[in-house]
Amino acid sequence: MEYMNHSTRSHLRELEAESIFVLREVAAQFERPALLFSGGKDSIVMTWLALKAFYPARLPFPLVHIDTGHNFPETIHYRDALVEQTGARLIVGSVQDSIDRGRVVEEKGFHASRNMLQTVTLLDTIAQHGLDCCMGGARRDEEKARAKERFFSHRDEFGQWDPRNQRPELWNLFNGRKHMGEHFRVFPLSNWTEMDIWQYILLEGIEMPSLYFTHEREVFCRDGVWLAALPCIPRRDSESVEVHRVRCRTIGDITCTGLTLSEANSLEDIICEIAATRVTERGGRADDKRSESAMEDRKKEGYF
Amino acid sequence: MELASNGYLDMELLRFTTAGSVDDGKSTLIGRLLYDSKSIFEDQMEAVRQASMVRGHEEVNLALLTDGLRAEREQGITIDVAYRYFATPRRKFIIADTPGHIQYTRNMVTGASTAHAALILVDARQGVLEQTLRHAYIASLLRIPHVVFCINKMDLAGFGQNVFSDITAQLRAFELKLGLQFVHFVPVSAKWGDNVVDRSERMPWYEGPTLLELLEEIPVGAGIGPGARFPVQYVVRPNSDAFHDYRGYAGRVAGGCFAVGDKVQVLPSGQESVIASIDLYRESLTETSGAQSVTIRLRDDVDVSRGDMLVKNDPLPVTGQDIVAMICWMNPRALRQGNKYILRHTSAEVRCVVRTLESRVQISTLEEVVPCDALEMNGLGRIRLRTTRPLVFDAYRDNRNTGSFVLIDEGTFETVGAGMIVC
């Protein structure tokens, strides 16, 4: 196929080259970097790009998974298989542990989510392993506050982001200099869009978790969003369980992952579905709906 | 599946930056581009509709689509570079949206550094301001190939042809002085959408392309200079049984083309060798294409590490410790003669001292003023540097990758200056 040829000036190849460049800068500039792996498509693509960047050597950094304890079992299977295949080192930070040790208090009620609690577990994991740089799969097209994020994002000793005082980032010169106790978040996929991610997965033939393809599932509807009918989300009496063919458009913690009614059974189907979609992928994310600047507030606290 | 045949997987990528003064409608213009090119999703539009209503605006305020941070929504100004993405069937676009407020000019330099094109907004009622010239000057300094002046708010200027041609004539007078490469002018009304995506019926006298048509047609070059340059980022050594003796130099091509069998020099040491293979994951390439990220292996066991550059003699870059450069200052603590900084250039990092601050650019006249003893935040000037170790570089006009550098404060580690090498 012609589009598989590296000599074409495909936008995907340009994005790939840029991301590989960023991943190598991280390995060169930091002493203890790590790649934040959520099991979602973005972190899967980021891991794929990292494998390409350092081949035939193994990844020069571990994968870090912040486990809310409310993950789809498919996510955990995929993660473990990936670690097995690539020989990557895996660090798991557990939100349940943070709760048990009294570092955080579990939210109560129908909208309870461990999404906010993840921030504490993440910062604890960073401190415990002395990580000086965490790479995330966030993209600038996801959300308004993300659009202002640098590739190399400096965090103070409290892990906080100060959007008014970001370092200017010019050409492809990334400044990872920092003081003791500070760290960086780096986003190699900054310039990718949701469509680019799926097109690249197709182009490269990357195997994806089954959750992204259509499957039958017990679901219920809350505020116009379909959620999985699993014990970690308490339901109101009025919220009845139905069975539908659904797929995940993003994969996060079960409590905040909206499911899309879909018949998409292949990567080509997914790409066509996204091309026709009229709602953003974060439209299904309960965590963004809390207020108009929900993401900005979480990021300032040290969220992903 | 027609994904491959319709070119969906193989579109060109155009990066452009936008600049304008406060209130000349830049956010609205970008909102309009996104909205009229059908890049806005229903939930985003609904949020903007709600937010406009809460603020008591009469119409849906498209500027709210892009004003991301809480502080900006409250003050009504954009305070940092924000990146936006949209695609048409012909191209994918990355917009670096930079604020016009004077104290944030450093952000325009940031946004401009990776751009193929710059959009500069001019308020039809205000005409050419000092800010307009500052932005045009920065575009020329950063060697952005295409500059598009959008004469906005034509609706408030009666859609008059005279208004447009007066401003165009004024800008033309500066164009020669600035040495811009390709210049375009488009009369628009971002608020109502005239000549943004759809052709305006209210300005029949304008026969040129609409803004989007122009953006779809601007040629996207290879983006790298002609001389073959490969700054080594990282040395790949697997130390595994399967790849026992593998030693590869990972990096991104910063100029020209490398092929297997090419004779290369390692600078600054000057050792010579021949390219044995060019690896991209499991594939072996015969030659590189554009700014590819690859891993190069050499035939000889030479000493190469991060910060070194593989080059071909077509011609050779300069290797030296004395550099003359134009600098844009980005920090409240001024640049002064004798100051020392960390200098980051390609994958190399050295210390440097400012030998002389030769001149400062007076934006209103576009002239270099001498003498001066300090370069303040947002100032542009010419400096002479001495580095602790030799750098391998080209003039910025020949190669944006090997001709650019940043200065980093040794105490705070902030990025304080952006430099473009003159010689």
Side-chain angles (χ1 to χ4, degrees):
Chain A
M1 273 177 290
E2 206 219 330
Y3 68 85
M4 293 298 223
N5 185 341
H6 280 293
S7 69
T8 59
R9 273 186 319 181
S10 153
H11 66 293
L12 297 174
R13 291 297 172 215
E14 187 172 337
L15 292 170
E16 176 188 63
E18 178 180 82
S19 299
I20 288 176
F21 178 84
V22 174
L23 285 152
R24 288 167 171 173
E25 278 304 291
V26 168
Q29 290 196 34
F30 296 96
E31 281 171 33
R32 306 192 77 166
L35 188 153
L36 298 177
F37 184 84
S38 71
K41 63 186 185 308
D42 300 320
S43 61
I44 290 170
V45 166
M46 180 166 55
T47 307
W48 178 267
L49 290 163
L51 292 168
K52 283 189 132 177
F54 302 102
Y55 183 85
R58 284 187 180 177
L59 294 186
F61 35 71
L63 305 182
V64 169
H65 184 216
I66 301 303
D67 184 356
T68 62
H70 291 166
N71 279 296
F72 290 100
E74 290 89 337
T75 301
I76 304 296
H77 291 154
Y78 185 93
R79 177 195 78 188
D80 293 344
L82 182 74
V83 167
E84 167 104 33
Q85 279 164 30
T86 59
R89 201 155 68 81
L90 175 70
I91 295 172
V92 179
S94 157
V95 174
Q96 187 62 52
D97 272 3
S98 303
I99 294 169
D100 295 345
R101 285 187 293 117
R103 295 280 294 136
V104 291
V105 179
E106 180 107 61
E107 291 183 29
K108 301 239 161 40
F110 292 111
H111 289 277
S113 161
R114 291 184 169 179
N115 195 62
M116 296 288 283
L117 311 186
Q118 285 186 92
T119 302
V120 172
T121 309
L122 174 63
L123 294 177
D124 285 354
T125 307
I126 288 170
Q128 190 194 337
H129 294 271
L131 303 177
D132 58 357
C133 171
C134 288
M135 286 175 279
R139 310 185 321 266
R140 288 177 182 146
D141 81 321
E142 278 180 84
E143 209 276 335
K144 284 194 285 189
R146 295 256 198 234
K148 311 243 151 168
E149 188 68 91
R150 303 287 193 261
F151 275 93
F152 272 46
S153 180
H154 177 256
R155 301 301 163 101
D156 64 19
E157 51 192 325
F158 300 101
Q160 295 184 344
W161 181 60
D162 178 4
R164 298 199 73 146
N165 193 26
Q166 298 194 78
R167 290 179 182 176
E169 204 162 78
L170 298 116
W171 297 289
N172 53 7
L173 297 168
F174 299 111
N175 173 5
R177 287 278 189 145
K178 63 189 179 321
H179 293 101
M180 283 288 283
E182 297 175 342
H183 68 278
F184 270 77
R185 298 289 170 81
V186 172
F187 304 102
L189 304 181
S190 289
N191 279 332
W192 296 60
T193 62
E194 183 186 20
M195 183 58 111
D196 298 328
I197 292 286
W198 284 111
Q199 289 177 342
Y200 185 72
I201 290 167
L202 174 66
L203 185 66
E204 296 282 292
I206 304 172
E207 193 195 327
M208 297 302 287
S210 56
L211 290 166
Y212 280 113
F213 303 98
T214 186
H215 56 280
E216 236 167 48
R217 185 180 281 279
E218 290 195 334
V219 294
F220 70 97
C221 188
R222 175 181 290 172
D223 303 333
V225 178
W226 292 99
L227 295 167
L230 290 168
C232 56
I233 321 181
R235 289 188 301 277
R236 296 188 178 90
D237 291 342
S238 57
E239 292 169 331
S240 57
V241 174
E242 299 166 38
V243 174
H244 286 290
R245 292 189 67 75
V246 294
R247 69 174 201 90
C248 294
R249 199 166 158 201
T250 65
I251 294 180
D253 175 285
I254 293 172
T255 61
C256 61
T257 299
L259 302 161
T260 308
L261 298 178
S262 168
E263 291 295 329
N265 204 18
S266 66
L267 293 172
E268 286 87 346
D269 289 350
I270 290 174
I271 290 171
C272 291
E273 188 182 284
I274 291 165
T277 308
R278 299 305 309 149
V279 179
T280 61
E281 59 185 310
R282 295 199 81 91
R285 293 281 289 236
D287 45 333
D288 287 342
K289 295 204 164 168
R290 294 190 168 196
S291 82
E292 203 191 334
S293 53
M295 174 66 95
E296 184 184 344
D297 294 341
R298 273 180 295 156
K299 278 178 67 70
K300 283 182 180 168
E301 299 291 316
Y303 187 72
F304 294 98
Chain B
M1 194 68 225
E2 323 93 82
L3 288 172
S5 56
N6 67 12
Y8 211 11
L9 291 175
D10 190 16
M11 292 191 288
E12 282 181 327
L13 181 59
L14 182 88
R15 297 173 197 246
F16 66 93
T17 183
T18 59
S21 307
V22 177
D23 288 338
D24 54 17
K26 192 163 50 64
S27 295
T28 311
L29 181 71
I30 293 170
R32 176 59 69 182
L33 258 181
L34 299 177
Y35 182 70
D36 284 1
S37 64
K38 312 212 165 20
S39 311
I40 300 300
F41 293 107
E42 273 169 18
D43 54 331
Q44 290 173 315
M45 202 55 207
E46 189 46 43
V48 167
R49 209 169 279 137
Q50 295 275 351
S52 303
M53 240 162 60
V54 169
R55 283 170 183 72
H57 299 306
E58 279 174 39
E59 295 103 14
V60 173
N61 185 352
L62 288 175
L64 296 176
L65 274 171
T66 59
D67 286 356
L69 300 177
R70 178 179 282 178
E72 343 181 289
R73 281 193 302 274
E74 283 162 6
Q75 296 169 20
I77 55 162
T78 314
I79 58 165
D80 206 330
V81 186
Y83 295 86
R84 319 281 167 202
Y85 303 82
F86 73 104
T88 65
R90 295 184 55 184
R91 266 194 185 165
K92 178 190 155 82
F93 298 94
I94 301 180
I95 313 176
D97 179 13
T98 67
H101 213 273
I102 192 154
Q103 66 260 44
Y104 294 109
T105 296
R106 66 174 202 174
N107 293 322
M108 165 151 187
V109 175
T110 304
S113 68
T114 51
H116 300 117
L119 248 62
I120 299 176
L121 268 90
V122 181
D123 185 328
R125 299 166 304 169
Q126 307 244 12
V128 179
L129 303 174
E130 184 176 322
Q131 272 292 71
T132 317
L133 295 181
R134 178 181 284 265
H135 294 144
Y137 179 77
I138 291 171
S140 76
L141 196 64
L142 281 132
R143 308 288 298 173
I144 301 179
H146 291 266
V147 174
V148 182
F149 290 100
C150 295
I151 320 302
N152 190 27
K153 305 203 179 178
M154 288 299 291
D155 51 313
L156 300 179
F159 295 105
Q161 184 171 10
N162 289 345
V163 177
F164 177 69
S165 38
D166 285 353
I167 293 172
T168 306
Q170 254 182 300
L171 289 168
R172 285 270 183 219
F174 281 102
E175 183 191 327
L176 288 173
K177 224 170 172 177
L178 287 168
L180 295 171
Q181 297 170 67
F182 298 96
V183 180
H184 315 265
F185 303 91
V186 189
V188 302
S189 165
K191 189 172 180 189
W192 304 108
D194 296 75
N195 287 338
V196 178
V197 171
D198 301 314
R199 186 154 292 280
S200 172
E201 287 171 10
R202 297 183 281 190
M203 289 179 273
W205 45 265
Y206 174 74
E207 291 170 346
T210 66
L211 179 59
L212 185 65
E213 285 167 359
L214 194 59
L215 292 171
E216 286 187 322
E217 280 157 21
I218 284 174
V220 183
I224 56 175
R229 310 284 184 256
F230 187 79
V232 175
Q233 259 189 296
Y234 188 86
V235 181
V236 177
R237 269 170 308 185
N239 291 324
S240 61
D241 291 341
F243 297 94
H244 194 70
D245 294 321
Y246 190 98
R247 185 182 174 87
Y249 305 109
R252 190 172 188 194
V253 177
C257 166
F258 291 87
V260 172
D262 278 354
K263 206 172 107 179
V264 292
Q265 261 194 47
V266 184
L267 292 178
S269 74
Q271 301 168 88
E272 294 189 351
S273 186
V274 172
I275 294 181
S277 80
I278 300 171
D279 305 333
L280 205 172
Y281 196 40
R282 296 175 194 275
E283 283 177 79
S284 280
L285 311 179
T286 50
E287 63 175 19
T288 62
S289 152
Q292 268 184 311
S293 281
V294 295
T295 302
I296 291 180
R297 283 187 284 165
L298 300 179
R299 238 176 240 172
D300 308 282
D301 191 12
V302 288
D303 183 22
V304 184
S305 55
R306 176 173 167 87
D308 290 338
M309 201 185 294
L310 306 184
V311 304
K312 293 198 317 204
N313 189 356
D314 55 355
L316 286 175
V318 180
T319 303
Q321 287 175 269
D322 293 290
I323 293 167
V324 176
M326 296 302 291
I327 191 116
C328 171
W329 202 245
M330 309 186 136
N331 198 266
R333 286 167 53 199
L335 173 135
R336 284 173 205 283
Q337 215 152 286
N339 283 8
K340 295 189 173 101
Y341 299 99
I342 299 163
L343 183 152
R344 184 178 282 276
H345 167 262
T346 65
S347 56
E349 200 178 89
V350 298
R351 294 182 68 215
C352 72
V353 58
V354 180
R355 275 280 167 84
T356 43
L357 173 51
E358 298 198 327
S359 59
R360 186 171 61 82
V361 178
Q362 179 79 46
I363 291 285
S364 50
T365 59
L366 298 177
E367 271 153 15
E368 291 190 26
V369 189
V370 279
C372 60
D373 53 26
L375 197 59
E376 307 288 343
M377 175 119 134
N378 292 309
L380 297 158
R382 181 187 294 262
I383 58 172
R384 188 176 287 275
L385 295 170
R386 169 86 183 169
T387 60
T388 48
R389 282 183 284 125
L391 285 184
V392 180
F393 61 87
D394 292 286
Y396 184 78
R397 67 175 173 277
D398 297 328
N399 189 318
R400 284 168 87 176
N401 293 315
T402 54
S404 54
F405 63 86
V406 292
L407 296 181
I408 298 168
D409 187 285
E410 292 187 304
T412 64
F413 295 147
E414 289 170 298
T415 303
V416 291
M420 286 138 282
I421 297 172
V422 178
C423 62

